[in-house]
Amino acid sequence: MFGVVFPNRSFPIDISTFTQIDTLHWVLDMNHFVGEAYDQIGEMCIFLLNNFTLPPDKALAVYVQSPGSAFTFCGAVTLSRPSAVLSLQWPEAGSAAQMQLTAGDSAPLSAKIGISVEDAAALPSLDVAAERKIERLAMRVGENLFNFMQSFCGVDGSKLVVPMDILDRWFKKFQERAKRDPGFLKSFAL
């Protein structure tokens, strides 16, 4: 049906390594691979096998779960997108419950990866990692601008006052630094 690879960490893993919960849900216990170092696994490649035909309106959704937390959606594959490298954003251990692929009354003792057959239209986005990277990038650029502006602020009563050309000055400095240091822009995407 599907296979999984943890880049630079594993050989291809097939569905037999997962525990099947029911006909539509599978769980991989991360203790099998890394024990408590599950959060060191940052990427996963999932792919449909050639002989598996997923209905066109369905997707294989991927979720991650830290010990004591709920499952968090990471992305999905479909017939039109039969493979994907997904960024695994592990939730904080012990956070509030959302979707449980295991019995609701039993708290998980280890991190898990859950695979679920779901309606593709019901999923938020097939590439959650790309959306999170864009969001992080925007926040870091905004933070850079805020810090730059704050260093030039004056106080007028209860208002902060900045020079009129502050955006031009920041943008020019930002561009110059990006030209000088190619790693500068990459640091915003981390």
Side-chain angles (χ1 to χ4, degrees), residues 53-114:
T53 54
L54 188 65
D57 62 333
K58 298 292 183 183
L60 277 183
V62 177
Y63 295 86
V64 292
Q65 179 185 46
S66 298
S69 77
F71 279 94
T72 302
F73 179 71
C74 292
V77 291
T78 62
L79 278 183
S80 61
R81 185 181 181 218
S83 65
V85 176
L86 304 175
S87 181
L88 303 179
Q89 303 290 324
W90 296 95
E92 285 189 40
S95 64
Q98 291 173 353
M99 177 185 163
Q100 291 287 336
L101 294 180
T102 57
D105 58 346
S106 65
L109 301 176
S110 63
K112 293 178 176 46
I113 293 178

